[in-house]
Amino acid sequence: SFQKNRPFNHKFWLGKKPYSDHKQWHVGPALPLESVLRPYITPSLVIPEENITIDKENLVLIDNDAPNHVRKALSKYCKELNCTATVVQGFARSALPALFNQAKIVVDWCMVGSERMPIESGLWGAVLLSSSCLCVQDYRDYPIPKRNIVNDEGDELKQAVKRILENYQQEFKDYVDFRALYRNLNSSTLTLEAKSFYLSHDKEDGGNNSLPVF
């Protein structure tokens, strides 16, 4: 019966192998590609590429689950680099597009999956900067330049922030694949992936289950 436990993941990296590089997020065995079901961004927060404003402020957004030592480091660096570091927490959803529209950079640390705020702000033109652990390691999940994946919150992070602020227009251009990926995920793609997930397990059950209505 299809009522058996059928694990799935929402990112390729989470499902491709067991891992233990971050003890808090150890998971089980590797899963097949059919077990990846990717969520999509609320359509009202998806902006067409041609409507993105590239005349932005020196604003660095920080995801609210970033560690305190990373927040403190970014605040220190922004004092030296003439930028503003803002933790995205406590904002009304209706206020987020205006905030995203102003930002040149968004920082998240050890991303565990489909981190909504970094993706949403990235669709508005913020350049995603992250650490070299967990899901950002898989290009299928986060197609971003390797130079913007840093190893720690030290000078490497500071220099990355400095480079992006000074060369924002080129950095923006290098994120076209990232924006295209998440702009094109929608209810239709999730439906197709859900059907693929169901049918792959239906074969294991002998093909006797009827396809549910999606």
Side-chain angles (χ1 to χ4, degrees), residues 32-33 35 39 49 56 70 78 84 112 122 154 159 188 198:
L33 289 178
S35 294
E49 185 77 9
K56 297 182 182 292
V70 175
C78 273
T84 301
V112 185
Q159 293 306 316
S188 296
Y198 179 88

Side-chain angles (χ1 to χ4, degrees), residues 49 52 122-123 172-173 175-183:
E49 185 77 9
I52 299 175
L123 287 170
F172 170 83
K173 292 177 182 178
Y175 277 67
V176 64
D177 289 343
F178 171 82
R179 293 190 297 274
L181 169 63
Y182 287 102
R183 185 181 296 115

Side-chain angles (χ1 to χ4, degrees), residues 80-136:
E80 301 171 11
L81 299 173
N82 192 31
C83 57
T84 301
T86 299
V87 177
V88 182
Q89 185 170 320
F91 289 86
R93 289 288 288 169
S94 59
L96 292 179
L99 181 69
F100 296 159
N101 194 45
Q102 297 170 353
K104 286 185 179 179
I105 301 174
V106 59
V107 178
D108 200 357
W109 218 249
C110 281
M111 294 190 291
V112 185
S114 294
E115 299 276 5
R116 186 171 69 181
M117 193 282 290
I119 294 172
E120 290 175 351
S121 57
L123 287 170
W124 284 77
V127 171
L128 175 60
L129 182 56
S130 189
S131 57
S132 56
C133 69
L134 301 182
C135 291
V136 78

Side-chain angles (χ1 to χ4, degrees), residues 47-59:
I47 183 173
E49 185 77 9
E50 61 272 18
N51 292 348
I52 299 175
T53 298
I54 59 173
D55 184 17
K56 297 182 182 292
E57 301 177 11
N58 282 352
L59 175 62

Side-chain angles (χ1 to χ4, degrees), residues 60 74 81 105 129 157-165:
V60 178
L74 288 166
L81 299 173
I105 301 174
L129 182 56
L157 175 59
K158 178 182 178 180
Q159 293 306 316
V161 171
K162 182 176 186 290
R163 170 174 39 78
I164 296 169
L165 292 174

